[in-house]
Amino acid sequence: MREATAKWAKRLDLKPLLDHTPQGISGGQKQRVAMAGVLIDESNILLFDEPLASLDPASGKASIELIDHLSRQQGLTVIIIEHRLEDVLQRPIDRLVVLQNGEIVGNDKPAAILRDSLMQQLGLREPLYLTAIQLAGIQLADCKAIDSVSTVTGENIEPALKKWTAGVTLQQSPLPTEPLVEIKDVSFGYHPDHPVIDHLNLTIHRGDMLSLVGRNGTGKSTLSNLITGFLTPDAGTMTLNGTDLAGLSVKERADHIGYILQDPNQMISKAMIYDEVASGLRLRDLSDDEVTKRLDATLKVCGLYEFRHWPISALSFGQKKRVTIASILVLNPEMIILDEPTAGQDLRHYTEMMNFLEQVNHEQHVTIMLITHDMHLMLEYTQRAIVLDHGGVLMDARPEDVLTNEGVIDKASLAKTSLFTLAERYHLPSALDFVAKFVQTEREERAHE
Ligand SMILES: Nc1ncnc2c1ncn2[C@@H]1O[C@H](COP(=O)(O)OP(=O)(O)OP(=O)(O)O)[C@@H](O)[C@H]1O
Ligand SMILES: [Mg+2]
C-alpha cells in the first residue's frame, strides 16, 4: 500500500502534502488528493465528475494530460463530466455526449457537435475561439478541424478576423481610483518559517470589479481570510476607508466586507429562505420594521422575493448560492469577496449569477473581488486582475493584459486564452488588441440583452 501511495503521490505531485491534514491544504490541493484516491484503485473504467472545478489552469491541463495518458497506456475507458469544455478538448476526446433534461441530445465526435452550434443552442458554453470566428462572419460549417484552436482552418478566416478587428474601436473606460482596502507590507504564514503571504502590498478601490488569480495553494483564500479577520497577519497593516482593520472583530468587519464561500451548503444554517437571509440582520440591533424593509428590498434585487417562504432544500445549487449572496447583500456591505462563484455551474446559471453581480457592482457601487481559476470569467466580467504568486502581487492589470503575457501566465500557472492563440495563428497585428476588442464586444452584447 505504501508503494502504491508513493507512486500516485509522485505522479500527482502530492509528495510534499502527504503529512498535511485535509484542513491544512488548499481547495485545489484537496481536488488532486481526491483524484489520487481514485486512481490508486487502478480500475478499468474511470468516471470524473468535474475534475477541473477547483484546479488552476495549469494543473487542470496536467490532469487532463494525465487522464489521457493513462487511458491510452492502460486502455482505460474514461468518462469526464465537465462544464469547461475548452479545457477538456486540449486532448483528443473520442466522443462528446450532450445531455438535456435527462435525455441524450447529442452524441458524436466533438467537431461535429461544435459545428452544429448545438452547445450554443442549448445554452452551453462553446470554446471562445469559435465564438470569435463566428463574430468575424465565418460559418463554422465552412471550417475544418474546429475542435482545437491550434488546428482550426477555413478559407477566409485571416482576412475576416483582420477586417473585424479593424472595424472595432476600443473605448476603455477609466478604472476606479478611490482606495477602499489598503494592504501594506502584510505577511502571514501558517508556520513561522513558511510565509504564505510575504510583504504583500495591494490597494482595492471602491467600485472595483476585480479577479484574484494564481496557482493552487498560492494563498488566495488565505488573503481573503486575512482581510475578513478569520486570520491575523504576522506583520503589516490593513485599512478599510483609512481605519485600521486590526481594531475590528470578524463580525464588525462583516458589516463592511462580505465573504462568500465556494460551497453554499457550508454557509447556510436555516431551513427557510427568509430566515436565512434575515439571520445576519437579526444579529444586529435593528427594529423589526427596518429588518423587513431591508429584507424585502434585497430579496427583490436577488430575484428571490417570490420564493421567500420556500424551504432552502427545494433550491438548486445556483439558487442557494444566490441566497448566500442575498444574506450578505442585506447587510449593505461595501465589498464582497466570492471564492469561485461559478465553479460547477452551467452557462445559464453562470451568466445569471455574473450579470447579477455586475448589476450590484454598477448600481450599488459594491466592490467585488472574485477568486477564480476560470480565465473566461476573469476576461469577460472583471476590469482588473490581481495575479498572486509567491506571497506577493506578480501583476496587477487589465485581464487581457495578463492573459496575453506569456511570462506571467507560465509563472502563475494561468492559461493563455484561445483568443490569443487564434490571433497569433492568423497573424493579427496585436493579439492584445484583438482580445480587448472581443471582450468589449461581448460586454456590449450582454448589456443589450
Ligand atoms: N489551515 C492551514 N494550515 C496549514 N497550512 C495551510 C492551511 N490552509 C492552507 N494552508 C497552506 O497554505 C497555502 C495557501 O493556501 P490557500 O488555501 O490560501 O491557497 P489558494 O490560493 O486559495 O489555493 P486554491 O486555488 O487551491 O484554493 C497552501 O500551501 C496550503 O497548503
Ligand atoms: Mg482557495
Side-chain angles (χ1 to χ4, degrees):
M1 192 179 87
R2 283 185 177 276
E3 223 171 88
T5 309
K7 172 177 145 193
W8 287 105
K10 182 158 183 272
R11 287 191 105 161
L12 286 160
D13 205 12
L14 293 170
K15 276 203 154 162
L17 301 178
L18 284 179
D19 54 357
H20 282 233
T21 62
Q23 297 77 36
I25 56 178
S26 78
Q29 289 165 339
K30 283 189 188 125
Q31 179 94 342
R32 288 218 308 282
V33 170
M35 197 180 245
V38 170
L39 290 172
I40 205 166
D41 288 336
E42 313 216 352
S43 317
N44 292 327
I45 302 177
L46 292 175
L47 174 72
F48 294 94
D49 194 347
E50 302 209 28
L52 302 179
S54 28
L55 295 183
D56 65 54
S59 306
K61 186 159 184 262
S63 299
I64 291 294
E65 278 166 7
L66 176 72
I67 293 171
D68 181 53
H69 179 73
L70 288 172
S71 78
R72 269 162 221 284
Q73 193 189 33
Q74 297 171 25
L76 303 181
T77 300
V78 175
I79 303 162
I80 304 172
I81 303 174
E82 246 319 324
H83 291 298
R84 280 160 64 175
L85 180 64
E86 189 164 338
D87 292 335
V88 175
L89 287 178
Q90 295 181 51
R91 282 287 154 142
I93 296 290
D94 300 319
R95 238 173 350 128
L96 188 62
V97 178
V98 186
L99 282 176
Q100 194 189 29
N101 301 327
E103 272 181 60
I104 293 182
V105 291
N107 180 356
D108 209 332
K109 287 191 167 47
I113 300 229
L114 292 172
R115 182 171 304 118
D116 292 346
S117 296
L118 182 64
M119 309 292 288
Q120 248 188 345
Q121 286 163 27
L122 295 177
L124 302 170
R125 201 147 44 137
E126 70 178 1
L128 276 192
Y129 63 92
L130 293 181
T131 311
I133 288 176
Q134 292 170 90
L135 211 53
I138 301 279
Q139 304 281 329
L140 293 185
D142 299 335
C143 299
K144 291 202 176 64
I146 66 172
D147 50 348
S148 163
V149 66
S150 47
T151 55
V152 61
T153 51
E155 245 176 51
N156 292 314
I157 294 185
E158 183 165 336
L161 286 176
K162 285 185 170 159
K163 183 160 168 245
W164 179 82
T165 315
V168 179
T169 314
L170 266 188
Q171 296 152 332
Q172 282 183 333
S173 48
L175 298 178
T177 54
E178 182 196 337
L180 177 68
V181 174
E182 288 182 275
I183 303 174
K184 289 203 180 118
D185 219 18
V186 162
S187 296
F188 170 82
Y190 294 93
H191 303 287
D193 43 345
H194 289 296
V196 170
I197 300 297
D198 198 5
H199 299 283
L200 182 129
N201 289 293
L202 174 65
T203 301
I204 298 168
H205 304 116
R206 183 180 299 282
D208 263 345
M209 177 112 177
L210 59 85
S211 39
L212 180 65
V213 298
R215 71 171 70 231
N216 289 129
T218 201
K220 301 178 296 296
S221 300
T222 304
L223 180 61
S224 312
N225 284 321
L226 288 167
I227 296 174
T228 49
F230 291 104
L231 296 171
T232 309
D234 298 328
T237 57
M238 291 188 292
T239 57
L240 173 79
N241 292 318
T243 308
D244 195 341
L245 277 175
L248 302 181
S249 67
V250 170
K251 183 167 162 282
E252 285 166 334
R253 291 187 205 193
D255 286 336
H256 305 278
I257 304 172
Y259 186 17
I260 294 166
L261 305 178
Q262 179 174 344
D263 182 358
N265 296 316
Q266 276 184 8
M267 295 185 67
I268 290 173
S269 60
K270 300 281 190 284
M272 309 301 285
I273 294 178
Y274 195 86
D275 294 334
E276 178 64 35
V277 180
S279 58
L281 276 188
R282 287 184 179 149
L283 287 176
R284 288 161 174 82
D285 287 329
L286 293 171
S287 67
D288 285 354
D289 267 5
E290 177 68 15
V291 169
T292 314
K293 213 170 87 198
R294 270 165 69 171
L295 267 171
D296 286 357
T298 308
L299 287 165
K300 280 179 190 153
V301 169
C302 298
L304 289 168
Y305 190 73
E306 318 66 294
F307 305 111
R308 66 194 181 285
H309 299 304
W310 282 33
I312 291 180
S313 55
L315 301 181
S316 71
F317 184 89
Q319 289 169 323
K320 280 188 197 163
K321 194 104 199 181
R322 204 175 261 247
V323 170
T324 60
I325 297 179
S327 49
I328 296 285
L329 261 189
V330 78
L331 304 174
N332 286 340
E334 289 164 84
M335 173 171 171
I336 308 183
I337 302 176
L338 297 106
D339 206 340
E340 300 248 9
T342 55
Q345 299 200 38
D346 66 28
L347 184 68
R348 190 165 65 84
H349 288 117
Y350 166 107
T351 311
E352 240 176 58
M353 159 102 54
M354 289 315 304
N355 289 349
F356 170 64
L357 288 173
E358 215 170 36
Q359 182 195 334
V360 168
N361 173 254
H362 282 179
E363 292 171 12
Q364 309 190 24
H365 308 289
V366 177
T367 302
I368 296 189
M369 178 160 97
L370 306 167
I371 300 179
T372 186
H373 291 299
D374 185 334
M375 300 293 110
H376 290 187
L377 173 69
M378 144 175 165
L379 196 58
E380 295 186 289
Y381 285 93
T382 64
Q383 285 110 34
R384 181 181 173 199
I386 313 286
V387 185
L388 212 59
D389 188 50
H390 285 94
V393 175
L394 175 65
M395 188 169 180
D396 178 351
R398 289 187 188 260
E400 54 269 29
D401 290 323
V402 171
L403 288 187
T404 47
N405 184 322
E406 286 183 278
V408 169
I409 289 171
D410 274 357
K411 233 175 141 208
S413 291
L414 306 176
K416 210 155 61 170
T417 148
S418 62
L419 296 172
F420 180 80
T421 315
L422 186 72
E424 286 202 316
R425 278 197 56 212
Y426 287 102
H427 314 107
L428 300 189
S430 156
L432 172 61
D433 180 58
F434 173 66
V435 176
K437 287 178 175 171
F438 177 86
V439 171
Q440 174 177 308
T441 308
E442 291 263 287
R443 288 215 175 112
E444 281 167 3
E445 279 185 7
R446 238 185 8 247
H448 292 130
E449 265 167 18

